Structure formats: structure tokens, C-alpha cells
Amino acid sequence: MLDKLATIRKTSWSGLFYGGVGLGIFLSSLMIPSLNHLFRWEGTWIGLAVVSGILAIFVWIWLDETPNVVKKKNKQDIIVKVPPTKWLIWLIIAYGLEGLGYIVTGTFIVSIAEKTSYFHNGATLVWMMVGLAAIPSCLIWSLLAKKWGFIKSLVLAMALQSLGIAMPAFWMSKTSFVISALLFGATFMGITTLATTLGREMNPSDSSRTIGILSAIYAIGQLIGPTLAGVLSSFTHDFNAAFIGAACVVFFGAILLLSGFISRTTLI
């Protein structure tokens, strides 16, 4: 998808593609309560599987397998300013830390909200807020990256996300959960959009390998994050330490990006 957008010089449109995740989250927040009420958790999983299978049929039908037409570069082509390829290690490490930190909120925020007295069995509202914020976020961050540059936009997104992750640990209320969900939804897919698009632009000749490495390090973080959060919560008997730790990890990733940006003195 990113390669195809690049051939028509519309990489900022990647935000529309990744915005589908937010739409899926929002739709699931509408479906899950009803499925759970009628068929309990087993039926909920089966119902979601059926819906996904139906949607997959449309994807299969509409999927365009026409080979990409590679355009020859000329002097009039618009060149996106990105760091040199050797800077990629900073992005990989930061993206791995993002995967480790963000997943803690993504995994536990709804279940924690459900255990409070603020939602009265309506904790899916939190997940709905995540989806609503995520739908336009990717497009917005893509436009910001076009104006401010990828690295500055990534640093801002990760800083805002770390604030949202830590918020429930310091301010426990219905409002704090909603704000946390909105900040989380507004940033987590935006960060993915920015990181993968930047990785592709930095190494266009081998973009699949670059995005593969980014996805792998992100996945490793996703595996480690919930495990560490579970260990911390078992010792502290709450998730405050886990949220604070996850927020620090994401913020540290943003600091690494900023440090690399300054040390390379590369203006994006």
C-alpha cells in the first residue's frame, strides 16, 4: 500500500488506510456489548470471527493485484526530506519501545475502567472513545508530518501518548479515563502511520524489509509489555505502576528520537 501511494506521490494518504483500525475499534465497541449479553464471551468471539470473515470477502473481491507501475524519477519529482538510512536504528528502537508501552493501555484500560464505580458496566464507552479518536488521527498526523516533518510529529505524538497512559494512575475518575482513551486513540495508530511511512521513505529500495523490521520489533514490545505489566500489578495489587512504567517507556522512546534528531542535526 505504501509503495503504491509513493508511486503517485500521495504518501500522506496513508492516514486514510490506517484510519480503518479506528473504525474497526469503534464498530467493535458497538457490537461487543450486545453479543456478550446474548451469547456470553464465547459467542462474542465467534460473532466477531464471522463478521471478520464476511468483511474479508469484500477485501478479496476489491483487492487490486495489478502490478505497480514504477515511475522514472526526474528533476521535477518532489523529494521528501528524511534522515539518512543510518539514522534508521533510532527509529527502530523508539518504535520497539512504543510497542512495549502502548500495549499496556490497549490491553488493560477497559478492564480497569470496568472495575471502577464510574462506568456502571458501561466501560465499553472507553473503547469507543479510543476508536473515535483513532479514525481521523492517522490522516491528521500525516498532514502534520507533511508540515512539521516526521520526527517532530513522532516526538509530539509519543509525548502526548505517554501523558494519556499515565493519567489514570494519578487521576482516577470517569473524565480521566475518557481523556486517556482519547489521547491513546489519537496517537497509537498515528505513530504507526508516521513510523512505517518514514521507514519506507528512508529506504525506498528495500521498503518491505524495513517495514518488516519495524513490525517485528513492535511485536516484540507487544509481547513483553503485558507480561511486565502483569508482574508489576501482582506485586503492587493495582496497575498504577504498570501505567507509569509504560508511560516512561514511551516517553523515553520520544527522547531517543529527539536525541537522534539533534545529534544528526538533520532537519526534517
Side-chain angles (χ1 to χ4, degrees), residues 139-173:
L139 182 59
I140 292 172
W141 284 111
S142 294
L143 294 174
L144 287 177
K146 193 173 181 181
K147 182 178 180 180
W148 296 344
F150 283 102
I151 298 178
K152 292 177 183 178
S153 300
L154 266 172
V155 170
L156 176 60
M158 293 177 74
L160 287 174
Q161 186 182 94
S162 64
L163 175 64
I165 293 173
M167 186 171 292
F170 297 100
W171 176 25
M172 184 69 71
S173 70

mmCIF file of all heavy atoms in Angstrom, residues 139-173:
data_model
loop_
_atom_site.group_PDB
_atom_site.id
_atom_site.type_symbol
_atom_site.label_atom_id
_atom_site.label_comp_id
_atom_site.label_asym_id
_atom_site.label_seq_id
_atom_site.Cartn_x
_atom_site.Cartn_y
_atom_site.Cartn_z
ATOM 1 N N LEU A 139 -4.832 10.407 9.512
ATOM 2 C CA LEU A 139 -4.806 11.432 8.466
ATOM 3 C C LEU A 139 -4.260 12.742 9.010
ATOM 4 O O LEU A 139 -3.457 13.419 8.364
ATOM 5 C CB LEU A 139 -6.205 11.639 7.900
ATOM 6 C CG LEU A 139 -6.336 12.653 6.758
ATOM 7 C CD1 LEU A 139 -5.459 12.263 5.582
ATOM 8 C CD2 LEU A 139 -7.791 12.789 6.321
ATOM 9 N N ILE A 140 -4.673 13.091 10.234
ATOM 10 C CA ILE A 140 -4.207 14.335 10.857
ATOM 11 C C ILE A 140 -2.693 14.303 11.067
ATOM 12 O O ILE A 140 -1.982 15.259 10.743
ATOM 13 C CB ILE A 140 -4.930 14.580 12.192
ATOM 14 C CG1 ILE A 140 -6.411 14.886 11.939
ATOM 15 C CG2 ILE A 140 -4.279 15.727 12.965
ATOM 16 C CD1 ILE A 140 -7.258 14.945 13.195
ATOM 17 N N TRP A 141 -2.187 13.179 11.593
ATOM 18 C CA TRP A 141 -0.745 13.085 11.835
ATOM 19 C C TRP A 141 0.040 13.079 10.530
ATOM 20 O O TRP A 141 1.154 13.604 10.461
ATOM 21 C CB TRP A 141 -0.419 11.845 12.669
ATOM 22 C CG TRP A 141 -0.767 11.997 14.115
ATOM 23 C CD1 TRP A 141 -1.756 11.365 14.807
ATOM 24 C CD2 TRP A 141 -0.135 12.876 15.065
ATOM 25 N NE1 TRP A 141 -1.783 11.781 16.122
ATOM 26 C CE2 TRP A 141 -0.805 12.698 16.305
ATOM 27 C CE3 TRP A 141 0.921 13.782 14.988
ATOM 28 C CZ2 TRP A 141 -0.425 13.413 17.445
ATOM 29 C CZ3 TRP A 141 1.293 14.485 16.134
ATOM 30 C CH2 TRP A 141 0.621 14.299 17.336
ATOM 31 N N SER A 142 -0.543 12.487 9.487
ATOM 32 C CA SER A 142 0.127 12.511 8.185
ATOM 33 C C SER A 142 0.252 13.940 7.655
ATOM 34 O O SER A 142 1.286 14.330 7.107
ATOM 35 C CB SER A 142 -0.651 11.653 7.184
ATOM 36 O OG SER A 142 -0.620 10.297 7.543
ATOM 37 N N LEU A 143 -0.804 14.711 7.851
ATOM 38 C CA LEU A 143 -0.777 16.107 7.403
ATOM 39 C C LEU A 143 0.202 16.921 8.238
ATOM 40 O O LEU A 143 0.913 17.784 7.710
ATOM 41 C CB LEU A 143 -2.183 16.707 7.495
ATOM 42 C CG LEU A 143 -3.232 16.102 6.533
ATOM 43 C CD1 LEU A 143 -4.608 16.684 6.815
ATOM 44 C CD2 LEU A 143 -2.828 16.351 5.082
ATOM 45 N N LEU A 144 0.254 16.645 9.538
ATOM 46 C CA LEU A 144 1.205 17.347 10.411
ATOM 47 C C LEU A 144 2.644 17.005 10.019
ATOM 48 O O LEU A 144 3.527 17.866 10.049
ATOM 49 C CB LEU A 144 0.945 16.984 11.873
ATOM 50 C CG LEU A 144 -0.308 17.580 12.508
ATOM 51 C CD1 LEU A 144 -0.470 17.069 13.943
ATOM 52 C CD2 LEU A 144 -0.261 19.103 12.502
ATOM 53 N N ALA A 145 2.866 15.725 9.666
ATOM 54 C CA ALA A 145 4.214 15.321 9.260
ATOM 55 C C ALA A 145 4.629 16.028 7.984
ATOM 56 O O ALA A 145 5.805 16.369 7.802
ATOM 57 C CB ALA A 145 4.259 13.805 9.061
ATOM 58 N N LYS A 146 3.660 16.254 7.109
ATOM 59 C CA LYS A 146 3.954 16.960 5.868
ATOM 60 C C LYS A 146 4.345 18.406 6.140
ATOM 61 O O LYS A 146 5.160 18.996 5.427
ATOM 62 C CB LYS A 146 2.717 16.910 4.965
ATOM 63 C CG LYS A 146 2.950 17.327 3.529
ATOM 64 C CD LYS A 146 1.709 17.091 2.680
ATOM 65 C CE LYS A 146 1.943 17.472 1.235
ATOM 66 N NZ LYS A 146 0.732 17.265 0.406
ATOM 67 N N LYS A 147 3.767 18.976 7.222
ATOM 68 C CA LYS A 147 4.027 20.371 7.556
ATOM 69 C C LYS A 147 5.235 20.528 8.469
ATOM 70 O O LYS A 147 6.076 21.405 8.262
ATOM 71 C CB LYS A 147 2.788 20.967 8.232
ATOM 72 C CG LYS A 147 2.912 22.432 8.582
ATOM 73 C CD LYS A 147 1.633 22.973 9.197
ATOM 74 C CE LYS A 147 1.760 24.452 9.549
ATOM 75 N NZ LYS A 147 0.506 24.988 10.152
ATOM 76 N N TRP A 148 5.327 19.686 9.522
ATOM 77 C CA TRP A 148 6.379 19.823 10.530
ATOM 78 C C TRP A 148 7.559 18.884 10.318
ATOM 79 O O TRP A 148 8.630 19.111 10.857
ATOM 80 C CB TRP A 148 5.822 19.556 11.928
ATOM 81 C CG TRP A 148 4.793 20.545 12.381
ATOM 82 C CD1 TRP A 148 4.530 21.773 11.846
ATOM 83 C CD2 TRP A 148 3.873 20.385 13.467
ATOM 84 N NE1 TRP A 148 3.514 22.385 12.528
ATOM 85 C CE2 TRP A 148 3.088 21.566 13.544
ATOM 86 C CE3 TRP A 148 3.641 19.384 14.396
ATOM 87 C CZ2 TRP A 148 2.093 21.751 14.489
ATOM 88 C CZ3 TRP A 148 2.644 19.560 15.347
ATOM 89 C CH2 TRP A 148 1.878 20.733 15.386
ATOM 90 N N GLY A 149 7.343 17.780 9.608
ATOM 91 C CA GLY A 149 8.367 16.752 9.483
ATOM 92 C C GLY A 149 7.998 15.528 10.306
ATOM 93 O O GLY A 149 7.270 15.622 11.295
ATOM 94 N N PHE A 150 8.502 14.367 9.896
ATOM 95 C CA PHE A 150 8.146 13.110 10.545
ATOM 96 C C PHE A 150 8.619 13.033 11.988
ATOM 97 O O PHE A 150 7.881 12.602 12.879
ATOM 98 C CB PHE A 150 8.733 11.930 9.746
ATOM 99 C CG PHE A 150 7.976 11.609 8.502
ATOM 100 C CD1 PHE A 150 8.451 12.004 7.261
ATOM 101 C CD2 PHE A 150 6.783 10.908 8.555
ATOM 102 C CE1 PHE A 150 7.764 11.704 6.095
ATOM 103 C CE2 PHE A 150 6.083 10.599 7.403
ATOM 104 C CZ PHE A 150 6.569 11.002 6.172
ATOM 105 N N ILE A 151 9.865 13.414 12.238
ATOM 106 C CA ILE A 151 10.435 13.207 13.573
ATOM 107 C C ILE A 151 9.772 14.105 14.603
ATOM 108 O O ILE A 151 9.416 13.654 15.700
ATOM 109 C CB ILE A 151 11.964 13.434 13.544
ATOM 110 C CG1 ILE A 151 12.615 12.411 12.614
ATOM 111 C CG2 ILE A 151 12.544 13.308 14.947
ATOM 112 C CD1 ILE A 151 14.095 12.569 12.462
ATOM 113 N N LYS A 152 9.597 15.366 14.267
ATOM 114 C CA LYS A 152 8.923 16.269 15.206
ATOM 115 C C LYS A 152 7.512 15.780 15.512
ATOM 116 O O LYS A 152 7.063 15.819 16.669
ATOM 117 C CB LYS A 152 8.880 17.683 14.626
ATOM 118 C CG LYS A 152 10.235 18.362 14.507
ATOM 119 C CD LYS A 152 10.095 19.731 13.865
ATOM 120 C CE LYS A 152 11.454 20.398 13.670
ATOM 121 N NZ LYS A 152 11.334 21.711 12.997
ATOM 122 N N SER A 153 6.816 15.297 14.499
ATOM 123 C CA SER A 153 5.454 14.800 14.688
ATOM 124 C C SER A 153 5.450 13.535 15.541
ATOM 125 O O SER A 153 4.593 13.359 16.413
ATOM 126 C CB SER A 153 4.796 14.519 13.333
ATOM 127 O OG SER A 153 4.736 15.691 12.545
ATOM 128 N N LEU A 154 6.418 12.643 15.306
ATOM 129 C CA LEU A 154 6.524 11.423 16.104
ATOM 130 C C LEU A 154 6.806 11.726 17.569
ATOM 131 O O LEU A 154 6.205 11.129 18.466
ATOM 132 C CB LEU A 154 7.627 10.526 15.542
ATOM 133 C CG LEU A 154 7.223 9.443 14.540
ATOM 134 C CD1 LEU A 154 8.465 8.785 13.949
ATOM 135 C CD2 LEU A 154 6.339 8.402 15.198
ATOM 136 N N VAL A 155 7.720 12.645 17.810
ATOM 137 C CA VAL A 155 8.062 13.019 19.190
ATOM 138 C C VAL A 155 6.838 13.582 19.906
ATOM 139 O O VAL A 155 6.541 13.216 21.057
ATOM 140 C CB VAL A 155 9.220 14.043 19.211
ATOM 141 C CG1 VAL A 155 9.406 14.622 20.612
ATOM 142 C CG2 VAL A 155 10.509 13.381 18.736
ATOM 143 N N LEU A 156 6.093 14.455 19.245
ATOM 144 C CA LEU A 156 4.891 15.036 19.836
ATOM 145 C C LEU A 156 3.844 13.963 20.111
ATOM 146 O O LEU A 156 3.244 13.931 21.201
ATOM 147 C CB LEU A 156 4.320 16.101 18.905
ATOM 148 C CG LEU A 156 2.991 16.738 19.368
ATOM 149 C CD1 LEU A 156 3.160 17.425 20.708
ATOM 150 C CD2 LEU A 156 2.478 17.719 18.317
ATOM 151 N N ALA A 157 3.631 13.064 19.147
ATOM 152 C CA ALA A 157 2.628 12.009 19.315
ATOM 153 C C ALA A 157 2.981 11.098 20.483
ATOM 154 O O ALA A 157 2.106 10.732 21.291
ATOM 155 C CB ALA A 157 2.497 11.201 18.026
ATOM 156 N N MET A 158 4.238 10.718 20.604
ATOM 157 C CA MET A 158 4.651 9.819 21.688
ATOM 158 C C MET A 158 4.594 10.520 23.043
ATOM 159 O O MET A 158 4.258 9.898 24.060
ATOM 160 C CB MET A 158 6.050 9.274 21.405
ATOM 161 C CG MET A 158 6.080 8.345 20.199
ATOM 162 S SD MET A 158 7.738 7.738 19.770
ATOM 163 C CE MET A 158 8.015 6.552 21.096
ATOM 164 N N ALA A 159 4.911 11.803 23.072
ATOM 165 C CA ALA A 159 4.816 12.560 24.322
ATOM 166 C C ALA A 159 3.359 12.657 24.788
ATOM 167 O O ALA A 159 3.057 12.466 25.981
ATOM 168 C CB ALA A 159 5.410 13.950 24.141
ATOM 169 N N LEU A 160 2.456 12.945 23.858
ATOM 170 C CA LEU A 160 1.037 13.007 24.212
ATOM 171 C C LEU A 160 0.515 11.643 24.659
ATOM 172 O O LEU A 160 -0.270 11.547 25.606
ATOM 173 C CB LEU A 160 0.229 13.498 23.005
ATOM 174 C CG LEU A 160 0.361 14.973 22.644
ATOM 175 C CD1 LEU A 160 -0.388 15.273 21.349
ATOM 176 C CD2 LEU A 160 -0.160 15.859 23.770
ATOM 177 N N GLN A 161 0.966 10.605 23.989
ATOM 178 C CA GLN A 161 0.516 9.265 24.371
ATOM 179 C C GLN A 161 0.993 8.901 25.777
ATOM 180 O O GLN A 161 0.240 8.318 26.560
ATOM 181 C CB GLN A 161 1.025 8.228 23.375
ATOM 182 C CG GLN A 161 0.473 6.833 23.640
ATOM 183 C CD GLN A 161 1.028 5.814 22.677
ATOM 184 O OE1 GLN A 161 2.017 5.147 22.957
ATOM 185 N NE2 GLN A 161 0.382 5.683 21.525
ATOM 186 N N SER A 162 2.236 9.233 26.094
ATOM 187 C CA SER A 162 2.749 8.922 27.436
ATOM 188 C C SER A 162 1.942 9.640 28.512
ATOM 189 O O SER A 162 1.695 9.087 29.589
ATOM 190 C CB SER A 162 4.235 9.300 27.536
ATOM 191 O OG SER A 162 4.430 10.699 27.379
ATOM 192 N N LEU A 163 1.506 10.850 28.209
ATOM 193 C CA LEU A 163 0.648 11.585 29.147
ATOM 194 C C LEU A 163 -0.674 10.854 29.343
ATOM 195 O O LEU A 163 -1.147 10.691 30.482
ATOM 196 C CB LEU A 163 0.392 13.003 28.617
ATOM 197 C CG LEU A 163 -0.585 13.865 29.419
ATOM 198 C CD1 LEU A 163 -0.036 14.135 30.817
ATOM 199 C CD2 LEU A 163 -0.851 15.185 28.682
ATOM 200 N N GLY A 164 -1.275 10.397 28.256
ATOM 201 C CA GLY A 164 -2.534 9.677 28.349
ATOM 202 C C GLY A 164 -2.405 8.356 29.080
ATOM 203 O O GLY A 164 -3.305 7.962 29.833
ATOM 204 N N ILE A 165 -1.293 7.642 28.879
ATOM 205 C CA ILE A 165 -1.079 6.361 29.561
ATOM 206 C C ILE A 165 -0.987 6.552 31.068
ATOM 207 O O ILE A 165 -1.558 5.784 31.844
ATOM 208 C CB ILE A 165 0.200 5.679 29.027
ATOM 209 C CG1 ILE A 165 0.010 5.260 27.568
ATOM 210 C CG2 ILE A 165 0.558 4.468 29.878
ATOM 211 C CD1 ILE A 165 1.271 4.733 26.913
ATOM 212 N N ALA A 166 -0.263 7.581 31.498
ATOM 213 C CA ALA A 166 -0.027 7.795 32.930
ATOM 214 C C ALA A 166 -1.228 8.409 33.642
ATOM 215 O O ALA A 166 -1.347 8.286 34.871
ATOM 216 C CB ALA A 166 1.205 8.683 33.126
ATOM 217 N N MET A 167 -2.117 9.048 32.928
ATOM 218 C CA MET A 167 -3.186 9.826 33.548
ATOM 219 C C MET A 167 -4.028 9.057 34.567
ATOM 220 O O MET A 167 -4.257 9.540 35.691
ATOM 221 C CB MET A 167 -4.080 10.444 32.472
ATOM 222 C CG MET A 167 -5.133 11.400 33.014
ATOM 223 S SD MET A 167 -5.986 12.303 31.705
ATOM 224 C CE MET A 167 -4.646 13.353 31.105
ATOM 225 N N PRO A 168 -4.510 7.835 34.265
ATOM 226 C CA PRO A 168 -5.341 7.124 35.257
ATOM 227 C C PRO A 168 -4.613 6.799 36.556
ATOM 228 O O PRO A 168 -5.258 6.592 37.596
ATOM 229 C CB PRO A 168 -5.746 5.840 34.515
ATOM 230 C CG PRO A 168 -5.627 6.173 33.075
ATOM 231 C CD PRO A 168 -4.459 7.106 32.991
ATOM 232 N N ALA A 169 -3.280 6.739 36.491
ATOM 233 C CA ALA A 169 -2.518 6.430 37.705
ATOM 234 C C ALA A 169 -2.495 7.599 38.680
ATOM 235 O O ALA A 169 -2.362 7.401 39.897
ATOM 236 C CB ALA A 169 -1.082 6.046 37.336
ATOM 237 N N PHE A 170 -2.655 8.810 38.187
ATOM 238 C CA PHE A 170 -2.604 9.993 39.038
ATOM 239 C C PHE A 170 -3.969 10.647 39.247
ATOM 240 O O PHE A 170 -4.152 11.412 40.193
ATOM 241 C CB PHE A 170 -1.647 11.025 38.430
ATOM 242 C CG PHE A 170 -0.225 10.566 38.347
ATOM 243 C CD1 PHE A 170 0.296 10.092 37.148
ATOM 244 C CD2 PHE A 170 0.597 10.586 39.463
ATOM 245 C CE1 PHE A 170 1.607 9.662 37.063
ATOM 246 C CE2 PHE A 170 1.911 10.162 39.387
ATOM 247 C CZ PHE A 170 2.419 9.687 38.188
ATOM 248 N N TRP A 171 -4.893 10.342 38.346
ATOM 249 C CA TRP A 171 -6.211 10.978 38.428
ATOM 250 C C TRP A 171 -7.259 9.933 38.044
ATOM 251 O O TRP A 171 -7.503 9.674 36.889
ATOM 252 C CB TRP A 171 -6.261 12.190 37.486
ATOM 253 C CG TRP A 171 -7.588 12.874 37.417
ATOM 254 C CD1 TRP A 171 -8.572 12.887 38.373
ATOM 255 C CD2 TRP A 171 -8.087 13.657 36.322
ATOM 256 N NE1 TRP A 171 -9.642 13.613 37.947
ATOM 257 C CE2 TRP A 171 -9.385 14.106 36.696
ATOM 258 C CE3 TRP A 171 -7.572 14.021 35.079
ATOM 259 C CZ2 TRP A 171 -10.157 14.897 35.860
ATOM 260 C CZ3 TRP A 171 -8.340 14.812 34.247
ATOM 261 C CH2 TRP A 171 -9.620 15.252 34.644
ATOM 262 N N MET A 172 -7.877 9.319 39.047
ATOM 263 C CA MET A 172 -8.828 8.249 38.824
ATOM 264 C C MET A 172 -10.244 8.806 38.831
ATOM 265 O O MET A 172 -10.805 9.126 39.881
ATOM 266 C CB MET A 172 -8.678 7.173 39.912
ATOM 267 C CG MET A 172 -9.573 5.953 39.721
ATOM 268 S SD MET A 172 -9.113 4.930 38.303
ATOM 269 C CE MET A 172 -7.585 4.191 38.876
ATOM 270 N N SER A 173 -10.815 8.967 37.657
ATOM 271 C CA SER A 173 -12.188 9.430 37.523
ATOM 272 C C SER A 173 -12.707 9.047 36.141
ATOM 273 O O SER A 173 -11.941 8.602 35.288
ATOM 274 C CB SER A 173 -12.289 10.950 37.714
ATOM 275 O OG SER A 173 -11.702 11.625 36.617
#
